[in-house]
Amino acid sequence: MSKRKRVVLPLNDKVKIIKSIKNGESGSKLAQIYGVGTSTISDIKKNSDAIMKFTCALEKEDGSSQRKVMKKSQNEILENAVYTWFLQKRACGQPISGPLLCEKALDFNQKLGGDNSFKASCGWLARFKSRHGIRELEIQGKKLSANVASANSFVDELKEFLDEKEYDFDFVYNADETGLNWKALPSRSLASHRENAAPGHKVSKDRVTVMVCANANGTHRLPLLLIGKSKNPRCFKNVKIPLTYANQKKAWMNTDIFLTWYENTFIPEVKKFQKDVGKEGDVLLLLDNAPTHPSAETLNRENGKFTVKFLPPNVTSILQPMDQSIIETLKRLYRKQLLRRLLTTKDSEIETTLKFFKETNLKDCCYMLILTDEEIIEDLNNNEREDEEDTETGEVCQVPSHAEAFEALDIDFKWFERQDVSDPIQLLQLKRIRDLAAMKRNDSLRQRPITSYFQPKF
């Protein structure tokens, strides 16, 4: 006789079994219906009071009846804090992504003096969503087709070309453009199981084009090229932005913009890099065959020292180096910075998202595009080490409030970005400190004590 497969029933089935038992159904019949042993039915009957109490509590807090066990979170206070925050944001229509939820969990854990080993991992997120019946809505996407045969042929051709010319990979570059809806919030959000849809604001269609360029070894990343619609954006007035800006009426790339970038940014930046590393050699730039790119004959310069080679049609998804997760990562990091900026908007504002759209400008887009958190932190740590020797213990001074700190930092930022000596990394450091002050200011504005939200539900 074959061994019966172990079946773990969800709580809603257990509730049905308890009700059926009360109505006089036999345990053997119920065991046959649900594909379990009679001992399982007996256990459910014995624990009926605990099961019903736990299920009722789940319904009150909008939890998932598809759960199969009654195990609670190891840290109920943190669990209740994150879930309360999640419900508040969803009630306002704010989209919540998994990474954003994890980051808020880390933030709450720090404020509550929680375990330093807590990482808000993917496993924690999956269990949290399962416990509360949270799922994702509005999944969208599309696939790209690629000419595999043409791609394979080009790979062999390029390898032969590189070997023949003896190119140094430090001087083999690739550039590619991508569209960026720079104000668009996520089109999908985590939602409780009782939400049939995730209503939100009208999708922002503010779009720019970003061109990314770097060498094959990853040792040289050129300044980003940002293409917007406005010739002279008001937010750029008297401000030193940390990238190259161009304009076109539809914010698209065209031949003139590319040629200007090639002559005034690409060639000078590569020559500067060669001087810095103390090496010389021919330079190769790989491009896709978009009609907005000038011909190879137009771009080849300095007696072949700067050469351009085009990829075949329909091979971007498998051959374009920048399309192998680099541009995707750039957009993900940008979206992360955008959502962090949304978190710094005052919770006391009724129309938080609309206020966010109004206050975010193209200058903010520039800052959010250029550096990752790790690069900013690394540079901050380096500066901190340099200043350690000069640090001395002095008299304790009165600590400014979070609101006062934010106002002062905001003034400092507006002043420093207009100075000729300002540096992109320094600007970003100052911006992140200002944003931190904004978040702490918002937390202090909440009149209700945060601990009042964390009372155990059962």
Side-chain angles (χ1 to χ4, degrees), residues 6 15 17 19 69 163 183 190 195 209 249 268 339 347 386 407 414:
R6 183 174 182 269
V15 171
I17 290 173
K19 292 180 179 179
V69 294
D163 291 341
K183 281 190 179 182
L190 300 180
E195 295 183 78
T209 296
K249 63 180 181 180
L339 292 175
D347 290 341
E386 293 174 359
E407 291 176 3
K414 291 176 180 177

Side-chain angles (χ1 to χ4, degrees), residues 186-234:
S187 60
R188 40 193 254 180
S189 173
L190 300 180
S192 69
H193 75 283
R194 290 188 176 182
E195 295 183 78
N196 296 322
H201 296 275
K202 183 178 179 181
V203 178
S204 172
K205 296 183 179 180
D206 291 339
R207 177 187 175 278
V208 293
T209 296
V210 180
M211 186 164 75
V212 185
C213 182
N215 64 3
N217 283 337
T219 54
H220 185 205
R221 292 174 291 177
L222 277 75
L224 296 175
L225 171 65
L226 181 72
I227 305 174
K229 295 180 181 179
S230 176
K231 183 177 181 180
N232 296 303
R234 187 182 304 173

